[in-house]
Amino acid sequence: MSITAKLIELLRANVRTVALTGAGVSAESGVPTFRGNDGLWSKFDPTELASMNAFMRNPKLVWEWYLYRRDVIGKAEPNMGHETLAKMEQHLSDFTLVTQNVDNLHRRAGSQNVIELHGNIQRNKCRQCGSPMDQVEIDPDNIPRCSCGGQIRPDVVWFGELLPEEALVTAIKMAEKSALFLSIGTSALVYPAADLPLIAKNNGAYLVEINPEPTGLTPYADEVFHGKSGEILPIIWQVAMEEASSGEASLKTNEA
Ligand code: BV8
Ligand code: ZN
């Protein structure tokens, strides 16, 4: 894999950097993605599960799906991709991590400021008044209720629901002002998150994509790494952090 001098230069210049992550960043931690063939939605259609209609129609099935995912995530460990993003946050003075993921693995890897566009699967809330209900034990056969009478639901953003206002506004603002935007492990299909890389690009950012597969975003990217984020991110960061030995840092890593 080869890394351009431009990307290394931007990372070394400590420019305003935004990273947007999707389910692909957690794939190497054993958390299934959404659209992969072993994906979470290979058996169900997303509207079957990740929507208020689904919850109203079959709250037991929806809670069983979320409890299953909590169990998978509980057994998962952050991977080198999550860890590298946590290091970037420590080293770069203006770095923003925006995630579509609800698995909490960025925080577990040490990232402090994580903008969670789609909520967090570890949290619960009342579907009526929105009060946080994290300590409540969930029995899908007897879904607990809030004191206001509302059923408890996972604190994630379902299809057809608005994203948390402050998270989205901040993410858009940082994308607009970014000089380097990394789109990592996302199929760039879910809106409005999928708007962010193009907002950055249209405002002059250098757009980098890391994904084993091409996506709708690939044609717009300035630099594309076809591979796994858990392998690629550590290499990019290592090269960027190497002191330039003979003038120029060795930008050519071993040819993969
Ligand atoms: C909304 C939480 C206002 C729940 C999720 C235009 C504007 C606004 C809305 C829309 C619009 N067009 C359509 C809509 C509606 C909808 C939408 O975008 N639908 C899509 C499917 C077309 N958007 C909404 O409903 C949003 N709400 O905008 O409200 C509104 C309201 C009504 C009507 C209009 C507007 C809410 C969207 C949030 C939904 N909630 N998750 C839960 O998790 O259960 S979305 C879900 O998809 C996850 O959060 C996931 O992260 C996200 C995006 O998917 P990806 O992360 O990209 O995952 P995916 O599997 O697709 O791809 C993984 C990628 O990783 C692949 O490319 C793969 O190649 C790659 N990969 C694999 N291994 C690796 C890897 N990459 C790197 N390394 C590896 N090792
Ligand atoms: Zn309530």
Side-chain angles (χ1 to χ4, degrees), residues 104-116 120 123:
N104 212 40
L105 287 176
H106 284 303
R107 282 216 176 81
R108 286 180 52 198
S111 291
Q112 310 276 319
N113 306 313
V114 185
I115 297 180
E116 293 175 322
N120 186 316
R123 294 197 303 259

Side-chain angles (χ1 to χ4, degrees), residues 126 128-129 131 146 148 150:
C126 168
Q128 208 86 7
C129 67
S131 310
C146 165
C148 81

Side-chain angles (χ1 to χ4, degrees), residues 22-25 27-28 33-36 41 50 65-66 69 100-102 118 156-163 185-192 210-213 215 227-230:
V25 162
E28 289 153 272
T33 62
F34 286 81
R35 292 169 186 82
W41 289 338
W65 187 54
Y66 279 95
R69 287 173 62 191
Q100 301 170 87
N101 299 343
V102 298
H118 296 160
V156 297
V157 180
W158 280 331
F159 284 99
E161 293 188 323
L162 291 170
L163 276 60
T186 181
S187 57
L189 286 173
V190 173
Y191 289 85
I210 301 176
N211 193 321
E213 311 284 331
T215 70
K228 297 181 175 178
S229 47

Side-chain angles (χ1 to χ4, degrees), residues 16 18 171-182 194-208 217 222:
R16 173 169 285 141
V18 174
I172 291 170
K173 202 172 74 199
M174 299 317 281
E176 279 169 347
K177 296 195 291 183
S178 65
L180 174 59
F181 192 101
L182 310 170
D195 283 326
L196 294 170
L198 293 177
I199 289 172
K201 173 88 183 165
N202 293 338
N203 282 277
Y206 187 76
L207 178 58
V208 175
L217 188 66
D222 296 294

Side-chain angles (χ1 to χ4, degrees), residues 68-142:
Y68 155 71
R69 287 173 62 191
R70 277 186 184 168
D71 186 46
V72 169
I73 287 165
K75 292 176 184 137
E77 290 299 325
N79 63 59
M80 294 282 281
H82 296 108
E83 286 163 14
T84 304
L85 289 163
K87 285 186 192 143
M88 291 174 79
E89 180 187 68
Q90 283 159 4
H91 282 79
L92 297 174
S93 47
D94 195 332
F95 176 80
T96 305
L97 176 59
V98 182
T99 189
Q100 301 170 87
N101 299 343
V102 298
D103 59 29
N104 212 40
L105 287 176
H106 284 303
R107 282 216 176 81
R108 286 180 52 198
S111 291
Q112 310 276 319
N113 306 313
V114 185
I115 297 180
E116 293 175 322
L117 293 178
H118 296 160
N120 186 316
I121 199 168
Q122 315 287 359
R123 294 197 303 259
N124 304 327
K125 67 179 180 182
C126 168
R127 76 166 246 215
Q128 208 86 7
C129 67
S131 310
M133 290 279 163
D134 296 354
Q135 312 318 328
V136 173
E137 184 73 21
I138 304 293
D139 170 3
D141 292 308
N142 180 16

